[in-house]
Amino acid sequence: MFSRAVRPTISLARSLSTSSQNHAKVAVLGASGGIGQPLSLLLKNSPLVSQLALYDIAHTPGVAADLSHIETRAQVKGYIGPDQLDAALQGCEVVVIPAGVPRKPGMTRDDLFNTNATIVANLADACARNCPEAIICIIANPVNSTIPITSEVMKKRGVYNPNRVFGVTTLDIVRANTFVAELKSLDPARVNVPVIGGHAGKTIIPLISQCTPKVEFPSDQLTALTERIQEAGTEVVKAKAGAGSATLSMAYAGARFTFSVLDAMNGKEGVVECSFVRSEETECKYFSTPLLLGKNGIEKNLGLGKLSGFEEKLVADAIGELKASIKKGEDFVANMK
């Protein structure tokens, strides 16, 4: 769908060594957790970040002290507990939210809903009050519901801008690129598979027909590959055997998306990432598609592109679940006291 030239930050190595300089203040909310710590490390390593505000309900002073010794330009400060949340967010241009409880074996993303919905709603409200124009990047699951929650909270505060609220689905793209590269003996840094829809199970729709370079699979292998991409999170949860979910690969993906946002804010052209956002591309209010990023968030929604028959069926099968997850998020905020 896109030539390799417009693929965003292809690898973290490239972004870490970029000559582009910026003075962005970035906050990580949930910085002490399994995703938050490695994500904060990757952000600290980037010349795109000048100030890094780390917030969590525990351990952030220690995480911040540890990271502050790294010989890169970003100044790191830790904030702990609700009383310090407002201070963490003041002046932020980008806020990344991996906060919440992780998935454990046997849990669906929906099982996470009640705990994480409350956490995300409270953090979104703090963003609305302290940095209403910041770009918000939500990692906290279930993303299919936490993005509607964030949007509705921002609307209540009168500061909602749909071009600045992103559900980070980048790990699905990273996995698709990796798995296709493995099957075809390609360099994964040279593979780009758009992934559309949502960020859970069958709502994850890899567009193998739009992969660059062009690849083809027999139908049984295509089905197995698609299912592996859709269930890759469960693959990690099972492999960790109760010790957590995908944290390191998610931190990588979260950093990749954040660097793309910062690159675009700095005026870099042709930065494209898939993300779960407010959308009119399908009958769902929110849908992930490739987006051209700009100085103010979404510059242009690039849409679904041409789908194969197999992919059209995947989209049709996902719509019902996606609509239900979106409504669940909206209803949660409507019923908040």
Side-chain angles (χ1 to χ4, degrees), residues 40-46 52 67-68 70 72-74 76:
S40 298
L41 172 62
L42 292 168
L43 295 175
K44 168 66 175 137
N45 241 356
S46 173
L52 191 55
L67 288 177
S68 71
I70 292 171
T72 54
R73 70 191 284 262
V76 186

Side-chain angles (χ1 to χ4, degrees), residues 22 38 87 95 103 131 154 162 173 199 216 231 282 306 320 324 335:
N22 190 24
V95 181
R103 206 150 61 107
C131 52
M154 301 293 254
I173 293 88
H199 186 54
E216 290 185 356
E231 296 302 326
T282 68
K306 189 174 187 305
N335 295 326

Side-chain angles (χ1 to χ4, degrees), residues 147-148 151 155 160-167 196-198 275-291 298 300-304 315 319 322-323 326 330:
I147 283 298
S151 301
K155 282 179 195 173
Y160 177 56
N161 181 341
N163 293 328
R164 290 177 172 268
V165 178
F166 295 91
I196 64 169
S275 181
F276 187 67
V277 297
R278 187 77 174 87
S279 174
E280 295 178 2
E281 298 299 318
T282 68
E283 58 194 89
C284 291
K285 283 187 197 173
Y286 299 84
F287 204 83
S288 182
T289 45
L291 308 166
I298 301 171
K300 186 181 181 187
N301 192 320
L302 300 176
L304 284 70
V315 171
I319 295 290
L322 211 41
K323 280 183 171 177
I326 291 165
E330 291 176 334

Side-chain angles (χ1 to χ4, degrees), residues 17-93:
S17 63
T18 179
S19 60
S20 174
Q21 295 287 315
N22 190 24
H23 299 286
K25 181 179 179 183
V26 178
V28 178
L29 308 185
S32 299
I35 298 167
Q37 288 201 40
L39 172 61
S40 298
L41 172 62
L42 292 168
L43 295 175
K44 168 66 175 137
N45 241 356
S46 173
L48 295 167
V49 179
S50 63
Q51 292 181 72
L52 191 55
L54 306 182
Y55 171 82
D56 214 321
I57 55 170
H59 310 305
T60 20
V63 174
D66 196 354
L67 288 177
S68 71
H69 293 181
I70 292 171
E71 55 184 355
T72 54
R73 70 191 284 262
Q75 295 181 319
V76 186
K77 189 168 180 186
Y79 300 85
I80 188 166
D83 292 348
Q84 296 183 16
L85 176 56
D86 288 0
L89 289 169
Q90 278 158 21
C92 284
E93 289 146 280

Side-chain angles (χ1 to χ4, degrees), residues 62-182:
V63 174
D66 196 354
L67 288 177
S68 71
H69 293 181
I70 292 171
E71 55 184 355
T72 54
R73 70 191 284 262
Q75 295 181 319
V76 186
K77 189 168 180 186
Y79 300 85
I80 188 166
D83 292 348
Q84 296 183 16
L85 176 56
D86 288 0
L89 289 169
Q90 278 158 21
C92 284
E93 289 146 280
V94 178
V95 181
V96 191
I97 306 184
V101 297
R103 206 150 61 107
K104 297 183 175 68
M107 277 177 96
T108 65
R109 282 188 172 85
D110 232 32
D111 293 331
L112 301 177
F113 181 83
N114 288 331
T115 300
N116 286 0
T118 302
I119 292 168
V120 170
N122 289 336
L123 295 176
D125 188 66
C127 291
R129 287 184 287 104
N130 292 286
C131 52
E133 295 189 0
I135 289 178
I136 313 292
C137 308
I138 304 285
I139 292 170
N141 274 317
V143 165
N144 293 355
S145 299
T146 55
I147 283 298
I149 286 170
T150 302
S151 301
E152 292 301 311
V153 168
M154 301 293 254
K155 282 179 195 173
K156 277 191 169 183
R157 289 281 181 186
V159 296
Y160 177 56
N161 181 341
N163 293 328
R164 290 177 172 268
V165 178
F166 295 91
V168 180
T169 62
T170 315
L171 183 51
D172 299 326
I173 293 88
V174 166
R175 286 167 166 160
N177 293 345
T178 301
F179 300 164
V180 167
E182 285 172 357

